[in-house]
Amino acid sequence: MTRIRFFASSAAVALATSMAAPAFAGEVRGVVADTTDTEALQAAEVVIEELGRRTATQRDGSYFFADVPAGSYTVTANYIGAEPVSFTIAVPEEGTVVQNFALGSAGSNILVIGQAANQASALSRKRAADGVSDVLTRDAIGQFPDQNVAESLRRLPGINVLNDQGEGRFVSVRGLDPELNATSLNGVRVPAPESDVRSVALDVISSDIIESIEVKKSLTPDMDGDTIGASVEIETTSAFDRRKDLLSVRLEGSYNDFSGELTPKGSIDFATRVTENFGVSGGLSYYNRQFETDNVEADDWVQFAGAPVPLELQYRDYDVERERISGTLNFDFRAGESTELYLRGVWSQFDDQEFRRRLTFDLGNFEDNGPTSQSGATAIFDDSQERIQVERDIKDRFERQRIQTISFGGESRWDSYFAEYSLSWAKSSEREDGSVDPAEFRNRFSGDGLIAAFDFSDPRVPLYSVSGNTADFLDPSIYELNDIEFTALSDAQDEEWAARLDFGYENYLENGTFTLQGGMKLRWRTKTYNKTVEFYEYDGPGTFSVADVLGSPRYPLADINPAPSDTGATDFFFDNFGDFELQTVDSQFDSAAEDYRAQEDITAGYVLGRYETDKLLVIGGVRYERTFSQTRGNQVALFEEDSTLPNGQVALDDTVLVTPISFTREYGDWLPSLNIRWEAQPDLILRAAGYRSLVRPRLSRLAPRFIVEVNDDDEVSGEFGNPALVPFKAWNFDASVEYYMSSNGGISAGFFYKDIDNFIVDVEVDTPGTFNGTAFDEAVIPINGDSATVWGVELSYSQTFDFLPGLLVQANYTYTDAEGSVPDGSLANLLDPVNYRDIALPASSKHTFNGVLGYEQGPLSLRFAGTYRDGYLDEINNDATLDRFVDDHFQLDFSARFELTDNIRLFYEWININNAKYFAFNNLGNRQNLYQFEEYNWTMKGGVRLTF
């Protein structure tokens, strides 16, 4: 705290010194809009030519120059896709000159509606940005390219999207783990709904309520320093974004080929100025999607003499219903000429109802001797040699995620002085209660004459066949209910309060402006996870089997019949609850193992200097962030019968001991940065940026959750949280060249480099050791590994063609080389880099490509969009041959819009035309071996948009 006070005092002295600069005479202000006066043009560049002073318009299209010497000047406004417009103005010794601009062809909608308008807006904001960034925007009637925020971001350079059941969920920037990104909504840092991550699942937020998304890839001192990949900044609508009122209604239906279901989607979007200085805007979006996923998974791969074989193989059939409701309500108010205030709220809810039928072959008893026989790609298992366990289960799970944010703030300007301030609250949650996950029916074949053969010639979809006693294998009555795992509660809550205050003073030089700015930000975050899981065994009269709840799955990859129905087991469990016996030990152990509570308070202060002319912008300064964290968890130890308890006695039965633990830490970080923007010639911009940043460890990894199991031979296996983890820290460098064409186009090339220290990995330790006072024989421990380096190149091209009217092309390519090193499975090697092995960083794809071919002429708009992501390392194993990799991904989408009238537009979308699939594998035996395969097929949407 002493450092912060000194820091703030120094900034105040510097500000007071600057305030002594002499004042000039007048002010110049105005608004830049399109020629139809529909849309306020954000990021239009306005220049006073003779003074070399430059500014970019705000989101309401406004611009402002203070202390302009009396005289005659040329003021010019530039915007991508429009011819520059200039005016000559006379500035008096005192007073204000108002000069508005209307850009674009007379009566044209090119800057307002459609693909060209989206592109012009995005390129203009990229050109005007202080640092390295990319932008997505919607047009004046609220059209956005994709169904959720994650999938929209897929179109930008350097962006990979990690899918969940075929839908974009997490975003990787420049090949880095999604954990290394930060997400803001209306300037509010968004906490993570899930219990075990920092990254925000962006499929929770509908794109229908979004005005723009900016991915900031370099940091300035006034920005939070907690990102290494990028800061993803999402903005919802403002009434001042538009010059005219808007009311837009969208109605559509969605059809998935696998499910055969037609489901609804609708949204309403509005913006109105109640008075000239007060506006209200908002929207509501609803989307129901029903789809199917066909999945195969294999695990426990072992190398035998013949070839690698999995000891567990699962055939999974998913029926999923997802419902997304998002709403936003914003108020904007101009309190005179000096102050603008806002109040913005966002509420988003994502419900996921999942039914999963699963056929599992458990071949673990063959681990020592391997299959009965192997021939080529076929492995045969005979139950006369070892037991074959076959499970047929059903998962009935409902999960709800919510993201809520409220922010109040504003900006005030008094001649050369300005202040920005805000108070905010954000809360994310994920809740599951009353789920049966799963109800397991099983039968053990031992000496019953069952022979199971598996064909691995297709590594993605191994096929099975049975012979011998097939009658029993196909008899639903022999698969009796073994147990039920009941999630009574899974409740993750992540809440953050924040307050920010910035002050600045602009000192006007002969050619340009120097701004001195300082400020502070306080953040108070609390994240909790509470889980209650209960295991039950059926102890009622008679038996209960798959035959009592027989379902009829649709699963084309293999025959998984007989299979239980969606809700039959759940209904039976609740209707006959008294006939089930609670397994107390397992329930106590699993319920206490994952609970934790974490508090993270961040106090930050910064000072920066900003020098700007019409050609050059330099922003340099330093930020200091002080972090206080307190984490609480449990040491949960399960002692099997006949094992030795801590008091030296022998356990007479399975025993669970739970001990609460807490840790407190405090540390500080200095984060300097420098951003340079130079307009070498008109429309040719060079950028360079260097900055220091950090990402704090996952709170779930920091939490002292020490999970220990002791068997009857007193062998100890553990899974540990690590309260001693320190943040990822990185030195980052960016350099880019951007050229903007007069005809709504741009070309850019960028280079980036990151040197990351303290990279965090989960390590499987297979040698005896001690961690935080607990001895073990094997364990999984998150550690700070060796340094990692990331470098790469981003190329981007976009253009509308004059010689081919209506044609629009967008393409970008990113090459990323991301390498780090991790230790092997020896505890001694955790701190011995000599024995580390080099890896590609998880989630990093070397090659990423996105392309769009669009046509827009008259009432018709067409767009083909393709996205390619190279394969990547997903998870690390202590045996490199068992590391999990994800195969490359290419997806093709198509959309069409037709304008019936000025107020009625029809649209059609065809998503995943080529049925892009998901494939994860290992390389045991120098071949690709299945971990997971999924396919989803295509989805079509169609509907109408009405604007008033």
Side-chain angles (χ1 to χ4, degrees):
M1 219 35 213
T2 301
R3 290 182 178 180
I4 291 293
R5 293 192 188 100
F6 172 77
F7 194 46
S9 299
S10 300
V13 170
L15 281 172
T17 303
S18 299
M19 291 176 186
F24 291 87
E27 297 177 347
V28 179
R29 66 172 70 236
V31 172
V32 181
D34 74 292
T35 53
T36 65
D37 201 31
T38 299
E39 184 87 344
L41 299 182
Q42 181 178 356
E45 183 182 66
V46 183
V47 178
I48 301 179
E49 305 284 357
E50 291 80 2
L51 298 179
R53 289 177 58 181
R54 165 192 171 272
T55 192
T57 54
Q58 302 300 307
R59 63 183 299 173
D60 62 354
S62 65
Y63 71 92
F64 174 79
F65 293 101
D67 290 347
V68 180
S72 179
Y73 302 101
T74 302
V75 183
T76 302
N78 291 278
Y79 191 80
I80 301 294
E83 291 295 325
V85 174
S86 298
F87 289 99
T88 300
I89 60 172
V91 178
E93 293 184 359
E94 294 183 0
T96 299
V97 175
V98 177
Q99 181 61 66
N100 296 327
F101 291 86
L103 302 185
S105 304
S108 171
N109 280 334
I110 190 171
L111 302 182
V112 180
I113 297 173
Q115 299 178 62
N118 290 135
Q119 179 169 293
S121 174
L123 288 175
S124 294
R125 292 184 59 175
K126 178 181 175 70
R127 182 180 69 173
D130 289 344
V132 179
S133 70
D134 290 287
V135 185
L136 282 170
T137 67
R138 67 174 183 171
D139 64 18
I141 61 169
Q143 294 180 144
F144 217 79
D146 298 285
Q147 62 185 337
N148 70 47
V149 171
E151 297 199 345
S152 296
L153 286 168
R154 189 197 307 257
R155 313 301 175 194
L156 294 179
I159 303 293
N160 301 336
V161 173
L162 280 61
N163 289 345
D164 175 58
Q165 294 185 323
E167 188 173 357
R169 188 167 179 81
F170 293 103
V171 172
S172 169
V173 180
R174 292 174 164 177
L176 292 174
D177 192 297
E179 289 286 305
L180 301 184
N181 301 326
T183 301
S184 296
L185 187 54
N186 292 325
V188 182
R189 274 288 189 258
V190 181
E194 289 92 338
S195 65
D196 59 346
V197 297
R198 279 189 184 269
S199 50
V200 178
L202 293 178
D203 57 352
V204 179
I205 304 171
S206 170
S207 61
D208 289 336
I209 67 169
I210 302 303
E211 182 71 28
S212 67
I213 310 171
E214 183 172 7
V215 180
K216 293 186 176 180
K217 299 175 181 177
S218 68
L219 300 183
T220 52
D222 55 328
M223 298 174 60
D224 290 310
D226 56 351
T227 180
I228 295 176
S231 179
V232 179
E233 303 193 353
I234 305 167
E235 296 284 345
T236 59
T237 57
S238 165
F240 293 155
D241 292 337
R242 297 173 174 82
R243 303 287 292 170
K244 297 178 181 178
D245 290 349
L246 169 74
L247 177 60
S248 175
V249 178
R250 177 179 172 125
L251 303 171
E252 68 178 86
S254 175
Y255 178 84
N256 175 252
D257 180 54
F258 273 3
S259 70
E261 298 288 339
L262 180 64
T263 54
K265 180 179 180 182
S267 66
I268 184 169
D269 186 21
F270 75 93
T272 183
R273 295 195 182 192
V274 180
T275 68
E276 182 63 26
N277 294 316
F278 178 67
V280 183
S281 62
L284 183 65
S285 172
Y286 172 82
Y287 182 29
N288 179 278
R289 182 182 179 219
Q290 296 181 32
F291 61 98
E292 292 186 8
T293 299
D294 297 328
N295 168 294
V296 185
E297 297 190 17
D299 207 351
D300 297 334
W301 285 87
V302 181
Q303 176 76 57
F304 294 110
V309 172
L311 298 180
E312 183 176 271
L313 199 62
Q314 302 179 4
Y315 296 88
R316 300 179 170 206
D317 176 33
Y318 290 88
D319 288 338
V320 183
E321 180 178 4
R322 290 181 171 174
E323 185 178 78
R324 182 187 296 112
I325 305 173
S326 297
T328 178
L329 184 62
N330 303 322
F331 301 92
D332 291 272
F333 176 60
R334 290 196 182 101
E337 293 188 354
S338 64
T339 298
E340 291 190 8
L341 303 174
Y342 62 82
L343 177 64
R344 298 189 177 120
V346 176
W347 183 89
S348 194
Q349 179 173 290
F350 180 79
D351 290 347
D352 186 87
Q353 173 65 63
E354 180 180 290
F355 296 104
R356 184 204 65 203
R357 284 161 294 278
R358 178 172 61 177
L359 168 62
T360 300
F361 291 90
D362 184 345
L363 309 169
N365 288 322
F366 290 82
E367 181 175 6
D368 294 331
N369 299 315
T372 305
S373 64
Q374 285 183 268
S375 176
T378 302
I380 298 174
F381 298 84
D382 191 329
D383 78 345
S384 64
Q385 181 181 359
E386 298 286 353
R387 186 183 71 196
I388 299 174
Q389 181 167 296
V390 180
E391 300 165 3
R392 302 180 185 271
D393 64 33
I394 180 70
K395 176 169 74 171
D396 176 2
R397 189 216 67 193
F398 176 81
E399 182 180 83
R400 169 169 289 171
Q401 293 187 353
R402 282 180 177 166
I403 291 177
Q404 307 161 75
T405 68
I406 299 175
S407 58
F408 169 76
E411 179 179 358
S412 297
R413 177 176 288 274
W414 310 275
D415 296 326
S416 301
Y417 310 106
F418 63 88
E420 296 182 9
Y421 34 87
S422 67
L423 295 171
S424 64
W425 170 82
K427 184 176 182 179
S428 297
S429 62
E430 181 183 75
R431 186 179 178 90
E432 179 184 345
D433 52 11
S435 295
V436 171
D437 184 10
E440 179 190 292
F441 300 83
R442 78 177 185 196
N443 188 63
R444 292 172 171 172
F445 294 88
S446 181
D448 296 316
L450 178 69
I451 301 173
F454 299 91
D455 181 0
F456 299 100
S457 55
D458 181 354
R460 296 185 170 216
V461 186
L463 300 177
Y464 84 87
S465 60
V466 292
S467 58
N469 187 6
T470 58
D472 279 355
F473 179 80
L474 296 173
D475 182 0
S477 65
I478 73 165
Y479 297 95
E480 297 183 3
L481 181 63
N482 179 56
D483 63 39
I484 280 181
E485 181 176 340
F486 178 64
T487 304
L489 179 65
S490 174
D491 184 21
Q493 305 277 340
D494 200 346
E495 184 176 30
E496 180 173 307
W497 292 84
R500 179 178 63 91
L501 178 61
D502 302 316
F503 284 106
Y505 173 76
E506 293 180 342
N507 189 20
Y508 304 102
L509 310 176
E510 183 176 349
N511 287 296
T513 307
F514 178 75
T515 302
L516 186 62
Q517 182 176 323
M520 294 186 65
K521 184 173 183 179
L522 306 176
R523 299 168 61 185
W524 304 274
R525 182 178 186 178
T526 302
K527 189 177 183 76
T528 61
Y529 183 53
N530 182 20
K531 184 173 182 179
T532 302
V533 60
E534 299 168 354
F535 294 90
Y536 291 92
E537 291 184 0
Y538 181 57
D539 192 30
T543 61
F544 184 72
S545 70
V546 172
D548 297 303
V549 288
L550 197 60
S552 54
R554 182 172 60 177
Y555 182 74
L557 299 181
D559 184 4
I560 62 172
N561 285 302
S565 63
D566 288 347
T567 61
T570 303
D571 294 340
F572 180 80
F573 174 64
F574 287 124
D575 292 343
N576 300 274
F577 186 76
D579 294 331
F580 285 83
E581 181 181 353
L582 176 68
Q583 305 304 296
T584 305
V585 171
D586 291 339
S587 301
Q588 287 178 342
F589 181 79
D590 278 36
S591 295
E594 297 187 54
D595 291 356
Y596 75 92
R597 177 183 179 86
Q599 177 184 344
E600 184 177 78
D601 299 338
I602 301 169
T603 304
Y606 75 92
V607 63
L608 68 80
R610 177 188 180 102
Y611 174 72
E612 185 171 18
T613 71
D614 58 341
K615 302 297 183 183
L616 179 65
L617 170 65
V618 180
I619 303 174
V622 65
R623 185 180 187 89
Y624 179 76
E625 295 195 352
R626 189 74 181 171
T627 305
F628 169 84
S629 67
Q630 184 179 70
T631 54
R632 299 174 184 174
N634 295 319
Q635 182 182 56
V636 185
L638 171 61
F639 295 85
E640 292 186 357
E641 183 180 355
D642 295 329
S643 64
T644 304
L645 296 170
N647 60 9
Q649 297 180 358
V650 175
L652 301 179
D653 201 349
D654 289 352
T655 304
V656 175
L657 299 179
V658 179
T659 306
I661 303 175
S662 67
F663 280 82
T664 300
R665 292 183 59 201
E666 191 169 1
Y667 54 89
D669 296 281
W670 292 94
L671 307 173
S673 65
L674 178 67
N675 283 260
I676 301 173
R677 177 190 185 274
W678 179 44
E679 190 168 345
Q681 62 184 53
D683 295 324
L684 178 63
I685 295 174
L686 308 181
R687 298 183 192 269
Y691 61 97
R692 180 79 162 160
S693 63
L694 79 160
V695 171
R696 297 169 182 87
R698 297 180 188 177
L699 294 171
S700 59
R701 276 174 164 163
L702 284 173
R705 298 189 295 182
F706 303 157
I707 306 167
V708 176
E709 296 186 50
V710 184
N711 65 20
D712 53 9
D713 292 324
D714 288 334
E715 295 174 333
V716 181
S717 61
E719 183 173 343
F720 299 97
N722 188 353
L725 288 173
V726 298
F728 301 76
K729 295 181 182 180
W731 285 105
N732 309 268
F733 174 75
D734 279 88
S736 67
V737 180
E738 302 165 8
Y739 176 71
Y740 296 93
M741 307 172 192
S742 58
S743 59
N744 195 358
I747 302 174
S748 67
F751 170 82
F752 57 90
Y753 176 82
K754 299 176 182 293
D755 185 1
I756 306 173
D757 292 326
N758 308 322
F759 204 89
I760 298 173
V761 291
D762 291 320
V763 176
E764 296 184 16
V765 181
D766 55 14
T767 59
T770 301
F771 184 78
N772 273 335
T774 301
F776 61 83
D777 295 284
E778 59 181 19
V780 177
I781 306 173
I783 66 160
N784 287 110
D786 199 13
S787 64
T789 58
V790 181
W791 70 272
V793 176
E794 292 179 337
L795 305 175
S796 180
Y797 168 73
S798 56
Q799 187 175 10
T800 57
F801 294 95
D802 294 333
F803 62 91
L804 292 172
L807 186 65
L808 177 145
V809 173
Q810 299 172 348
N812 62 71
Y813 166 77
T814 302
Y815 173 83
T816 301
D817 186 284
E819 294 184 351
S821 55
V822 296
D824 64 17
S826 167
L827 180 66
N829 292 336
L830 293 183
L831 301 176
D832 183 5
V834 173
N835 294 296
Y836 279 36
R837 64 181 173 96
D838 293 334
I839 62 166
L841 297 187
S844 63
S845 296
K846 278 191 177 294
H847 305 283
T848 305
F849 173 79
N850 299 295
V852 172
L853 179 63
Y855 174 79
E856 196 168 57
Q857 190 74 358
L860 181 64
S861 175
L862 306 174
R863 186 188 77 153
F864 279 97
T867 179
Y868 172 81
R869 171 195 43 73
D870 203 6
Y872 60 88
L873 173 65
D874 190 35
E875 294 178 2
I876 302 167
N877 195 283
N878 63 338
D879 181 350
T881 62
L882 295 175
D883 287 348
R884 178 185 173 106
F885 293 87
V886 174
D887 203 10
D888 54 12
H889 177 96
F890 173 73
Q891 180 173 319
L892 185 64
D893 304 322
F894 171 73
S895 63
R897 293 181 174 89
F898 186 79
E899 184 178 329
L900 285 179
T901 70
D902 288 343
N903 305 106
I904 303 175
R905 293 170 176 83
L906 304 179
F907 61 87
Y908 165 80
E909 298 177 3
W910 187 7
I911 301 167
N912 196 19
I913 297 171
N914 58 320
N915 188 21
K917 304 170 181 66
Y918 177 90
F919 176 45
F921 58 90
N922 65 54
N923 292 303
L924 182 65
N926 295 314
R927 73 176 198 185
Q928 290 185 345
N929 304 295
L930 171 75
Y931 273 136
Q932 183 177 349
F933 170 81
E934 284 186 352
E935 63 176 347
Y936 327 96
N937 219 346
W938 51 261
T939 296
M940 288 188 182
K941 301 178 183 180
V944 60
R945 178 182 288 277
L946 309 174
T947 56
F948 306 94

